Amino acid sequence: MSHTVFRKMFRSRNCPTDRSVLTDIYLMEIISRQQRMASLAKKLRRENKVLGFVPTMGSLHEGHLSLIQKARQMCDVVIVSVFVNPAQFNENSDFESYPRDLTSDAEYLAPYDVDYIYAPEASEIYGEDFTTFVTVDDISEKLEGASRPGHFRGVATVVTILFNTIRPDFGYFGQKDAQQVAVVKRLVRDLKFDTEVIVMPIVREESGLALSSRNSLLNDEDRAAAAVIRKSLLTAERAVEKGEEDAGTIMQIVSEVLESESSARTDYIALVDPDNLDPLERIGDGPVLLAVAVRFGDVRLIDNIVLQEKQ
Ligand code: AMP
């Protein structure tokens, strides 16, 4: 079967006990075939529908939801892909342990008026003799790229394939993955994709920990300890607001806060230009990205904040 239709009835919030309002039948189609996705998207474009596309690896949470809700506001049709992309994992164990549950993802999306879930098998995306990869030079090798060689080649390749299949008017990405945003924006600009990239702010737990599918891999202690990441970024922000401009000093401040948590292992702390990820020595006129990667046990978490000198 090439696709499944997911049906869900839900009650009106205003009148939860009145059975007569149980008439809203919500339809969401789950598509697994690339050809079906492409022909459907083509038909919708011919009907002049504005297509919004949210690429995800599933295990959906409120971070993903913020992208989906923005797409819902802006577009006629919302397509969410759920695809754990093997090409962007450089460790097989990481790929294997990545949480996957399409049924619970579909249930999670049911109340949010998503039109289509595109959930292909890896073989639909990468045929047996697949040999074409897309590389965004330079920015792909920095920060995350240094620890995860080939990661952004995998990201750029799958985004190219998904954009070519759907040809969305808008593609939605989270600031949580700031380097991914830089890579995708450059990809879209250089290869002249007719898709506008929309970036949404980081959604966090109450503790300040950025929501991530990987958080479910943390034990309770590490999950609580990981709130130190946000604390370190906010401490840096306060220092900048008080007039600190020197990158070395700001990174030292972040490092000290992270070190206050014994289970945290800092992978990198970087102050860079958000577009090209070049290191910066001072906080200047424009925005500066402060990005960190920190390990708790086997789980590697990333977070960031955009700093700007007080005007
Ligand atoms: P993923 O499923 O982790 O590949 O993420 C899919 C999209 O959701 C990416 O554009 C992420 O940047 C975005 N995203 C993930 N977590 C968050 C978050 N906490 N806040 C905002 N966006 C997020």
Side-chain angles (χ1 to χ4, degrees):
M1 192 168 64
S2 70
H3 61 277
T4 332
V5 176
F6 204 83
R7 286 165 196 271
K8 185 140 182 127
M9 282 209 287
F10 59 94
R11 290 165 192 257
S12 155
R13 281 212 186 134
N14 302 334
C15 197
T17 52
D18 182 351
R19 295 192 68 78
S20 67
V21 297
L22 285 169
T23 51
D24 234 346
I25 293 183
Y26 183 76
L27 285 177
M28 177 167 64
E29 186 178 349
I30 301 178
I31 297 170
S32 56
R33 294 270 181 260
Q34 190 272 339
Q35 275 201 342
R36 161 86 185 141
M37 187 69 256
S39 61
L40 180 74
K42 191 170 178 180
K43 173 178 156 287
L44 292 166
R45 283 195 310 275
R46 284 220 182 104
E47 292 167 1
N48 284 326
K49 298 276 200 275
V50 175
L51 303 192
F53 173 50
V54 183
T56 83
M57 297 208 297
S59 204
L60 300 174
H61 52 64
E62 284 174 52
H64 301 109
L65 200 55
S66 71
L67 312 184
I68 290 162
Q69 285 175 321
K70 187 69 178 175
R72 188 69 280 167
Q73 283 168 14
M74 294 175 64
C75 305
D76 299 315
V77 178
V78 175
I79 303 165
V80 176
S81 65
V82 173
F83 179 61
V84 182
N85 175 29
Q88 70 188 68
F89 286 81
N90 41 344
E91 280 172 37
N92 204 36
S93 59
D94 193 20
F95 175 63
E96 306 268 303
S97 69
Y98 200 87
R100 296 168 172 84
D101 187 346
L102 183 58
T103 308
S104 84
D105 284 336
E107 277 171 7
Y108 183 79
L109 290 182
Y112 298 105
D113 213 5
V114 166
D115 298 290
Y116 301 96
I117 296 181
Y118 179 38
E121 292 292 328
S123 56
E124 281 293 305
I125 301 291
Y126 304 109
E128 251 175 43
D129 50 359
F130 188 94
T131 49
T132 307
F133 289 88
V134 181
T135 308
V136 178
D137 274 351
D138 193 42
I139 49 180
S140 290
E141 283 101 60
K142 296 167 172 164
L143 308 183
E144 286 299 287
S147 311
R148 306 172 70 189
H151 170 70
F152 288 110
R153 183 178 88 142
V155 170
T157 302
V158 83
V159 169
T160 300
I161 295 168
L162 294 170
F163 276 14
N164 278 337
T165 298
I166 295 169
R167 296 182 48 202
D169 296 280
F170 298 99
Y172 295 83
F173 294 84
Q175 176 64 21
K176 159 86 174 20
D177 299 280
Q179 186 168 7
Q180 175 167 279
V181 166
V183 166
V184 171
K185 279 186 171 171
R186 186 67 64 89
L187 171 74
V188 163
R189 189 198 76 182
D190 287 354
L191 298 190
K192 323 268 186 275
F193 281 103
D194 192 11
T195 296
E196 190 179 328
V197 173
I198 307 288
V199 182
M200 295 299 289
I202 303 176
V203 179
R204 300 175 178 281
E205 290 183 358
E206 230 173 75
S207 72
L209 177 63
L211 294 186
S212 163
S213 311
R214 286 173 203 276
N215 293 353
S216 66
L217 303 173
L218 292 166
N219 63 35
D220 289 350
E221 264 172 40
D222 284 345
R223 196 169 183 139
V228 75
I229 302 176
R230 174 68 170 160
K231 197 172 146 201
S232 73
L233 299 175
L234 290 177
T235 310
E237 184 181 56
R238 276 196 296 276
V240 171
E241 280 169 1
K242 283 189 192 148
E244 184 55 66
E245 291 181 351
D246 178 62
T249 310
I250 295 165
M251 289 192 283
Q252 185 57 34
I253 290 170
V254 175
S255 172
E256 279 167 18
V257 178
L258 290 174
E259 276 169 22
S260 71
E261 185 51 68
S262 58
S263 53
R265 299 270 169 277
T266 305
D267 196 343
Y268 64 75
I269 300 168
L271 260 180
V272 297
D273 178 308
D275 293 327
N276 57 29
L277 306 182
D278 282 344
L280 296 171
E281 288 183 2
R282 304 201 75 72
I283 302 281
D285 298 333
V288 173
L289 177 70
L290 171 57
V292 298
V294 185
R295 281 180 197 275
F296 290 84
D298 291 339
V299 186
R300 189 168 171 283
L301 301 175
I302 57 170
D303 203 342
N304 67 80
I305 192 168
V306 176
L307 303 173
Q308 202 137 20
E309 195 175 37
K310 217 171 172 191
Q311 299 299 318

